[in-house]
Amino acid sequence: MDEIDDATRTEIEAAAFRRLQRHLMEERPEVQNIDLMNLAGFCRNCLSRWMQEEAAARGHEMSKDEAREAYYGMPYAEWREKHQREASEEARAAFDAAQKHEASEG
């Protein structure tokens, strides 16, 4: 593999993030956040929170709502109205179990 300078690496990483965002928002909006959390340990809301945290680390304050709107491309309430379904009992139980496990390790 060729040597990649830091600026190019940052561009590649940003492009990969945008591709992940587009995939989750446009190509697979039917995949529920709770299912992502149960399978991967993160979801769209985590990604928006990470954006908020990285903005703050660089001196740019961004509220939770601003970060979600930046990630979702619309107000979060609008996204939920269009795409979010009620979580199944099974998905909720898996999520609760994972949260309890994390709390006991922390």
Side-chain angles (χ1 to χ4, degrees), residues 24-82:
L24 291 173
M25 301 304 296
E26 297 173 14
E27 297 169 19
R28 297 302 305 267
E30 76 282 3
V31 175
Q32 299 298 296
N33 279 340
I34 195 166
D35 297 324
L36 287 169
M37 286 295 296
N38 288 341
L39 292 171
F42 77 97
C43 70
R44 294 172 186 90
N45 291 337
C46 296
L47 290 164
S48 71
R49 188 183 74 247
W50 297 341
M51 287 177 62
Q52 179 187 18
E53 291 168 358
E54 293 302 325
R58 289 158 179 78
H60 301 282
E61 292 305 315
M62 181 183 284
S63 72
K64 179 179 174 179
D65 289 337
E66 289 169 333
R68 283 187 174 180
E69 188 164 344
Y71 183 82
Y72 283 89
M74 64 184 73
Y76 181 56
E78 185 178 333
W79 167 265
R80 289 180 59 163
E81 178 74 25
K82 288 181 177 183

Side-chain angles (χ1 to χ4, degrees), residues 5-6 49 76 87 96:
D5 62 82
D6 288 343
R49 188 183 74 247
Y76 181 56
D96 290 343

